[in-house]
Amino acid sequence: MNTVLAAEAGSTTARNLTITLFLVFVAITLAITVWASRQTKTATDFYAGGRSFSGFQNGMAIGGDYMSAASFLGIAGIIALYGYDGFLYSIGFLVAWLVALLLVAELLRNSGRYTLADVLAFRMRQRPVRTAAAVSTITVSIFYLLAQMVGAGALVALLLGIKPGTTFLGMDADTAKVATIIMVGALMIIYVTVGGMKGTTYVQIVKAFLLMGGALAMTLLVLAKYKFNLSSLLGDAASASGKGAAFLEPGLRYGVETPGDALKTFYSKMDLLSLGIALVLGTAGLPHILIRFYTVPTARAARKSVLWAIGIIGTFYLLTLALGFGAAAIVGGSEITAQDKAGNTAAPQLAEKLGEQFLGGDLGGATLLAIIAAVAFATILAVVAGLTLASSSSLAHDFYANVVKNGQASERQEVTVARISALVIGAVSIVLSIYAQNLNVAFLVALAFAVAASGNLPAILYSLFWKRFNTSGAVWAIYGGLLAAVVLVFFSPVVSGAPTAMFPDHDWQWFPLSNPGIISIPFGFLCGWLGTILSKESDEEKYAELEVRSLTGAGAH
């Protein structure tokens, strides 16, 4: 009886502590947002933070934007459940940065102004290209937003101690998750509509510090528990996972060998390849990352910010390996899946166990869980704000100002439309997230990467490097790649026909792969090439001007 009462007291303390920490963080970030709103006077302030951030500040903010809930919760979860195969996410997300640095970062910053479409439309007809870019930006952002909101729902259920069959404030686990998703959506809309890019950037910088600190502290505790002996950590992880030696070898999730079924084995290997391609090429097409390069004053600062980002992000992804194997060893696979089928709560559950062992008893566990959960919340709020800002900026600047108003909209009108757009995009994301709760958040982000690499990347690379590229090629590349990716995802096991699908009770699946990248990315490049050669339009003078601008920064705003 006393043990039960002590456990209940511990869980109540955990809830109170977590809620207090969360409210403190929300209060601090809202204060930053209100302060930033007073500094946001022009469209440049709203979209690009007045181009006033240093390379280090922007590098921290890029890290904050990129190290999402998918990284912290999703990757740790996938490694905890599938071992070696989860490595692909850690390595893929990191390698992707080299592609962004070498091919896109500086050239984009020199050529554009506020959005991705500024570069694409520079030497082409404005209306069709800007419309296509706005559609693509919103689609990618919504896919990415799904991942963050699903992570938020899983996290809050853990924090409030809500498991299937239990209640909190009269809400069961599912209702509590939905309520959380709505709350996170409301907060992100406030950040963007009130603070613009300045508020969002400072929230991301604060969050990057918190996340790195939290991940580093947990990694050191995991290693200290095993006296810095990686061999015994991996051995314990393999035995506690329930998978044995197979846990430390490839083939548990991807590239699975199915005896007697060569086709199924082939599809599993193709899925692995498809995911790898999407992860590596996706970053260079992500609109919320690309617009970060416009917030610095010079091309040199853009390069510097990417170098800082690579250092921060690279360190973080190394830490996720320790967190994933630590969760498998200390928490155990069955306990992780009992709380969340997709493994999204592995890192916070690990924090709770480490707190109990190092800080003493339930209160120690509750304290560390509350701190790490507040950090994860910070992560989710910062990333969703960045995504919403990217998509609402594109809708206002590209579609409203340059397509609907034909370049005649005032700055005040543009910013007002951006704020309304943030509200609409936030509402759509909230509704879709409610249906995606069974999916692992790292996996959902990989889908967003595939859509970005299929629709945006071909158009960006052709625009920067191919003299002959024209309006028709850009429109074909964006719509072709985007449509291929979205249609293949819709007819894949992700949406229907599998127990973990968005709609597990329905089955319209015919595309066998979970990630469409291997088909949709080459298809996007093919569409761009075909659209270009079938059209006679060409403006070599304008290309020469774009080339000079992209390489030197001359004439950049």
Side-chain angles (χ1 to χ4, degrees):
M1 183 69 180
N2 288 344
T3 315
V4 172
L5 287 173
E8 280 180 8
S11 91
T12 307
T13 310
R15 282 181 180 179
N16 295 341
L17 195 58
T18 302
I19 292 166
T20 306
L21 271 172
F22 174 59
L23 291 175
V24 165
F25 178 78
V26 169
I28 291 168
T29 51
L30 284 174
I32 291 171
T33 305
V34 170
W35 169 81
S37 71
R38 291 177 183 158
Q39 320 290 315
T40 302
K41 296 180 174 67
T42 65
T44 303
D45 287 336
F46 185 84
Y47 292 134
R51 307 195 201 284
S52 58
F53 294 103
S54 68
F56 172 70
Q57 285 176 319
N58 197 42
M60 286 297 288
I62 289 173
D65 231 348
Y66 197 68
M67 299 181 304
S68 64
S71 304
F72 187 49
L73 302 176
I75 295 179
I78 276 195
I79 293 174
L81 296 183
Y82 297 102
Y84 183 93
D85 280 5
F87 270 40
L88 183 65
Y89 285 90
S90 290
I91 305 306
F93 282 143
L94 177 56
V95 172
W97 263 108
L98 299 176
V99 178
L101 174 64
L102 294 171
L103 292 179
V104 171
E106 185 184 345
L107 303 178
L108 199 73
R109 189 253 154 240
N110 287 345
S111 316
R113 191 174 177 195
Y114 297 140
T115 64
L116 173 67
D118 287 338
V119 177
L120 301 180
F122 182 76
R123 60 191 182 105
M124 296 168 195
R125 297 198 309 279
Q126 297 282 318
R127 287 189 163 193
V129 172
R130 285 192 183 273
T131 304
V135 169
S136 177
T137 298
I138 291 161
T139 308
V140 173
S141 298
I142 285 175
F143 265 98
Y144 215 113
L145 279 166
L146 283 184
Q148 311 308 318
M149 308 284 224
V150 168
L155 190 64
V156 165
L158 172 70
L159 295 181
L160 301 179
I162 308 170
K163 291 187 179 179
T166 61
T167 59
F168 175 72
L169 297 177
M171 296 184 288
D172 61 18
D174 292 338
T175 313
K177 283 184 181 181
V178 170
T180 307
I181 286 170
I182 293 168
M183 179 189 68
V184 170
L187 277 170
M188 84 181 178
I189 292 164
I190 292 167
Y191 288 156
V192 174
T193 52
V194 175
M197 178 58 94
K198 273 194 177 170
T200 301
T201 299
Y202 282 117
V203 168
Q204 282 158 346
I205 291 170
V206 169
K207 169 245 145 151
F209 273 113
L210 287 173
L211 186 60
M212 285 298 287
L216 190 60
M218 282 174 66
T219 300
L220 289 173
L221 290 176
V222 168
L223 294 175
K225 178 175 167 55
Y226 284 94
K227 299 185 173 58
F228 290 81
N229 184 333
L230 291 178
S231 180
S232 61
L233 167 61
L234 294 176
D236 273 15
S239 54
S241 70
K243 314 266 184 6
F247 187 73
L248 303 178
E249 295 167 6
L252 270 183
R253 184 180 171 96
Y254 300 107
V256 180
E257 295 277 352
T258 309
D261 193 338
L263 194 62
K264 202 170 179 185
T265 302
F266 173 74
Y267 285 150
S268 188
K269 291 185 175 175
M270 285 299 102
D271 221 354
L272 173 69
L273 195 57
S274 191
L275 174 64
I277 292 169
L279 290 178
V280 170
L281 297 179
T283 299
L286 288 175
H288 72 296
I289 297 293
L290 296 177
I291 65 167
R292 290 233 60 89
F293 298 124
Y294 297 136
T295 65
V296 288
T298 62
R300 187 173 177 218
R303 282 197 302 275
K304 205 171 181 182
S305 61
V306 177
L307 290 172
W308 272 110
I310 285 176
I312 294 160
I313 291 164
T315 307
F316 176 76
Y317 283 121
L318 284 175
L319 301 180
T320 58
L321 299 177
L323 297 181
F325 282 114
I330 296 166
V331 182
S334 56
E335 198 173 323
I336 293 168
T337 48
Q339 175 64 44
D340 186 272
K341 283 180 197 162
N344 294 325
T345 55
Q349 283 174 280
L350 172 63
E352 190 171 22
K353 295 280 187 195
L354 290 170
E356 286 169 6
Q357 290 176 23
F358 285 93
L359 305 178
D362 288 343
L363 184 59
T367 306
L368 194 56
L369 170 62
I371 292 167
I372 294 303
V375 168
F377 257 124
T379 299
I380 290 164
L381 292 173
V383 174
V384 292
L387 285 160
T388 312
L389 182 69
S391 43
S392 61
S393 299
S394 183
L395 207 54
H397 179 65
D398 297 328
F399 188 69
Y400 174 76
N402 287 292
V403 176
V404 176
K405 288 286 188 178
N406 206 17
Q408 301 305 307
S410 69
E411 284 198 347
R412 180 183 282 273
Q413 286 175 316
E414 232 182 277
V415 173
T416 303
V417 171
R419 288 178 166 145
I420 295 165
S421 305
L423 193 65
V424 174
I425 290 158
V428 171
S429 307
I430 289 167
V431 172
L432 288 174
S433 304
I434 291 166
Y435 290 100
Q437 291 179 58
N438 289 334
L439 300 172
N440 179 282
V441 288
F443 170 74
L444 275 169
V445 164
L447 290 183
F449 272 54
V451 176
S454 306
N456 294 341
L457 189 64
I460 294 167
L461 293 183
Y462 279 149
S463 194
L464 289 171
F465 299 109
W466 188 17
K467 190 186 293 187
R468 173 91 169 74
F469 195 52
N470 55 30
T471 306
S472 145
V475 171
W476 279 44
I478 293 172
Y479 285 134
L482 197 63
L483 202 62
V486 172
V487 167
L488 292 177
V489 167
F490 185 75
F491 290 106
S492 76
V494 175
V495 175
S496 72
T500 55
M502 284 177 79
F503 301 100
D505 301 330
H506 300 274
D507 188 357
W508 54 77
Q509 174 228 331
W510 53 258
F511 181 64
L513 308 184
S514 296
N515 193 294
I518 198 165
I519 306 288
S520 58
I521 297 170
F523 188 73
F525 278 98
L526 177 66
C527 286
W529 174 78
L530 204 58
T532 302
I533 60 163
L534 292 176
S535 164
K536 295 200 164 47
E537 177 198 349
S538 181
D539 191 341
E540 294 194 5
E541 279 182 26
K542 206 73 172 155
Y543 172 73
E545 189 185 336
L546 176 68
E547 194 173 30
V548 170
R549 275 178 62 147
S550 67
L551 293 173
T552 64
H557 296 278

